[in-house]
């Protein structure tokens, strides 16, 4: 019992002080007809992501412009999906996704 308590205390302490890592959002999905772009990154359970949202917005805008839209705006929030589950520790790796909405029609060239 004492060993279990020690492990729980250690995991809790690590979760509270998880290391920060730089992550880049990359296009992983979306819908041209709906005008949505999904950008994602993977992260371990105890890590905290540092994300450059300016780069992400630029990538989303480029995808939207390629589809004939003029701009892109984040819809707000993010979705976390478990990518790797451990019976002992629960989810240990997540896919984090941010959705952008394309807007406006691009100008004819």
């Amino acid at each position: 019992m004492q060993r279990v308590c020690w492990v729980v205390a250690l995991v809790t302490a690590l979760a509270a002080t998880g290391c920060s890592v730089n992550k880049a959002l990359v296009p992983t999905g979306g819908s041209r007809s709906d005008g949505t772009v999904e950008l994602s990154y993977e992260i371990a359970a105890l890590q905290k992501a540092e994300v450059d949202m300016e780069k992400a917005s630029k990538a989303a805008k480029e995808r939207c412009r390629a589809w004939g839209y003029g701009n892109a705006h984040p819809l707000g929030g993010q979705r976390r999906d478990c990518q790797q589950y451990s019976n002992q520790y629960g989810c240990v790796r997540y896919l984090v996704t941010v959705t952008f909405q394309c807007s406006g029609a691009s100008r004819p060239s």
Side-chain angles (χ1 to χ4, degrees):
M1 180 69 170
Q2 184 178 11
R3 185 173 191 213
V4 171
C5 290
W6 182 84
V7 170
V8 169
L10 178 62
V11 169
T12 303
L14 287 173
T17 62
C19 59
S20 292
V21 292
N22 291 326
K23 291 291 182 175
L25 283 161
V26 296
T28 54
S31 167
R32 181 179 187 164
S33 60
D34 293 336
T36 58
V37 175
E38 293 179 342
L39 303 175
S40 305
Y41 63 87
E42 284 192 3
I43 192 158
L46 299 180
Q47 293 178 324
K48 294 180 183 177
E50 296 289 332
V51 179
D52 185 341
M53 286 305 291
E54 275 190 49
K55 275 187 174 179
S57 291
K58 184 177 178 182
K61 285 176 188 177
E62 287 174 7
R63 175 69 55 98
C64 288
R65 287 182 179 145
W67 289 345
Y69 295 93
N71 210 344
H73 306 281
L75 288 177
Q78 59 187 18
R79 184 178 75 235
R80 281 177 29 140
D81 297 309
C82 185
Q83 297 296 299
Q84 183 180 359
Y85 185 83
S86 162
N87 287 334
Q88 188 173 8
Y89 301 110
C91 191
V92 295
R93 180 163 292 291
Y94 293 93
L95 180 70
V96 179
T97 303
V98 178
T99 302
F100 287 78
Q101 180 70 56
C102 301
S103 62
S106 63
R107 298 180 199 152
S109 38

